[in-house]
Amino acid sequence: ETGVTQSPTHLIKTRGQQVTLRCSSQSGHNTVSWYQQALGQGPQFIFQYYREEENGRGNFPPRFSGLQFPNYSSELNVNALELDDSALYLCAGLKQGYNYGYTFGSGTRLTVV
Amino acid sequence: KQEVTQIPAALSVPEGENLVLNCSFTDSAIYNLQWFRQDPGKGLTSLLLIQSSQREQTSGRLNASLDKSSGRSTLYIAASQPGDSATYLCAVRPGTGGFKTIFGAGTRLFVKA
């Protein structure tokens, strides 16, 4: 149990559809970040949320959006899915403070066909 | 722009060997560096976190070092076991503000029994 839970574990969508991925983080993880990991590559930063507001974004188009809720859960929404969106999507929680690193969930494997 | 490189990309060793995985980064202004383990299709498990003011961290058979001035970190695995087979990822959190953590592409390790 890492303290970060993602759902669903696997998902198959058709090109052009929309998808919502969910992340539940333990209390104290006031920052949540989302990453996309293509096969054989390192995770790429999508965006992060702090106290329910986006405060950092990577090189991803606006059709990637997110939400963070007061109970530390969050969502990643992707509109107009493309084949290249097929990847493992990872959510990471971060506690405030010097001594803490990221805690990752197990990820959601999204396949776009 | 921070870039993180991991060498080698893949490594195969017999059981019992001591081995070193390398991580280099281009911007020495970092907040911390974190080593992760990833099993195929799974999320990331944190192994060691080194703060920018620290030189090394140890956990069991693992030892990670950090040399900010040269932009290098190494992960040393003693007495490798088949269960150590996984991909090892290095991640750098910038010290200039923000939480955008940059990952290397990882080193795929296979330990032969």
Side-chain angles (χ1 to χ4, degrees):
Chain A
E1 175 58 47
T2 67
V4 177
T5 304
Q6 292 187 242
S7 62
T9 55
H10 295 84
L11 199 54
I12 300 175
K13 287 287 190 177
T14 303
R15 188 173 50 183
Q17 284 188 315
Q18 178 267 343
V19 69
T20 297
L21 309 182
R22 293 181 171 82
C23 174
S24 176
S25 190
Q26 69 185 26
S27 175
H29 284 170
N30 51 18
T31 297
V32 64
S33 299
W34 285 89
Y35 287 81
Q36 180 195 67
Q37 187 179 24
L39 205 60
Q41 298 182 20
Q44 299 294 315
F45 175 75
I46 302 175
F47 47 57
Q48 71 179 18
Y49 279 78
Y50 175 67
R51 293 185 176 177
E52 303 165 47
E53 290 194 7
E54 183 181 304
N55 71 339
R57 191 173 186 92
N59 295 324
F60 282 80
R63 60 189 185 84
F64 285 77
S65 63
L67 287 171
Q68 184 186 26
F69 302 100
N71 63 354
Y72 303 104
S73 65
S74 67
E75 292 180 353
L76 164 64
N77 299 290
V78 187
N79 294 323
L81 283 167
E82 301 176 358
L83 297 180
D84 286 349
D85 295 334
S86 296
L88 181 68
Y89 288 85
L90 296 162
C91 168
L94 181 68
K95 290 183 182 180
Q96 198 163 10
Y98 181 68
N99 292 323
Y100 297 107
Y102 283 94
T103 300
F104 277 82
S106 298
T108 293
R109 170 69 63 185
L110 172 65
T111 302
V112 182
V113 298
Chain B
K1 177 187 173 187
Q2 180 72 271
E3 294 182 2
V4 179
T5 303
Q6 291 188 245
I7 294 174
L11 185 61
S12 180
V13 299
E15 182 178 6
E17 270 204 10
N18 301 324
L19 54 100
V20 175
L21 307 182
N22 296 292
C23 171
S24 62
F25 47 94
T26 55
D27 187 347
S28 62
I30 67 170
Y31 188 78
N32 60 36
L33 184 147
Q34 201 166 354
W35 282 94
F36 293 90
R37 169 188 172 136
Q38 186 175 33
D39 293 295
K42 304 296 184 182
L44 277 61
T45 299
S46 180
L47 298 174
L48 290 164
L49 171 69
I50 311 178
Q51 302 295 347
S52 61
S53 59
Q54 297 174 325
R55 299 284 294 190
E56 67 176 347
Q57 284 287 334
T58 298
S59 176
R61 294 183 294 110
L62 305 179
N63 175 276
S65 68
L66 174 65
D67 184 345
K68 274 201 317 178
S69 61
S70 65
R72 295 179 187 274
S73 176
T74 61
L75 178 66
Y76 175 81
I77 302 177
S80 59
Q81 303 170 356
D84 294 332
S85 298
T87 296
Y88 291 81
L89 293 155
C90 163
V92 172
R93 184 173 164 191
T96 52
F99 299 95
K100 180 180 177 181
T101 291
I102 307 298
F103 282 82
T107 293
R108 291 179 60 187
L109 173 65
F110 180 64
V111 181
K112 298 172 287 187

